[in-house]
Amino acid sequence: MSRTGELLRRLQGPTSDQEESALAKRAETSQLWPRFTKAFDAIARAFGEQPPPQGINREFTTFDWNGVDEGIHDHNGFINGRINGIDLQIKLKGTTIDDQQQYAILPDGKWQLQHSRERYVFFKGTFVSADGRKGAVEMQHKNDTWLYKAFWLETRNGFLQLEQVVGPDGVIYDAGKLEQDKKEVTIPGTRTSVTRFKT
């Protein structure tokens, strides 16, 4: 960039991307609230253990597509019950693609077609903590990575207010410091927006 271009950039102020990055930095926090950590751990355990933990009712169904869509599997299910003092009411929806084809650029600059299996699972529902406080959660998982997590907590007027979100890099944000003038919050590092209040 030329010296003149740099001076003009400084006079114009930060770009919207720079402003968003600065806002996200100010909203970063060191840890997830213990209430949300316990809810997440309860969901992960209820989802992952075989057979399901005692007190958990879990059901999954899969629809396998045929013809040109063969290799695509749509999943639906739910997790209900109580585990580690947390009551869960979670719905699951997802897709597995057996042969996801994509090109990769090799170190020598050549392109190579690669095959991979991809699995997306979306979690959405409510929980009640051991102290009786109601909360809500939305999360999306892709293969071995959490793309995002969002947590709400019940307020005095009965609404569920967005409190914390977690981006794909694992960084935790206080939702109250993100896009304060908007009804929806875009989770940093994603294109996913979640509503600030639920009824």
Side-chain angles (χ1 to χ4, degrees), residues 152 155 157 159-162 183 194-199:
W152 290 257
T155 61
N157 60 10
F159 288 100
L160 292 167
Q161 179 175 310
L162 184 66
K183 292 180 181 179
V194 290
T195 186
R196 197 174 292 280
F197 292 98
K198 292 176 173 281
T199 54

Side-chain angles (χ1 to χ4, degrees), residues 7 29 34 36 68 89 92 136 148 150 174-175 190:
L7 289 171
T29 187
F36 298 145
V68 295
Q89 299 285 325
L92 300 112
Y148 74 89
D174 285 330
T190 75

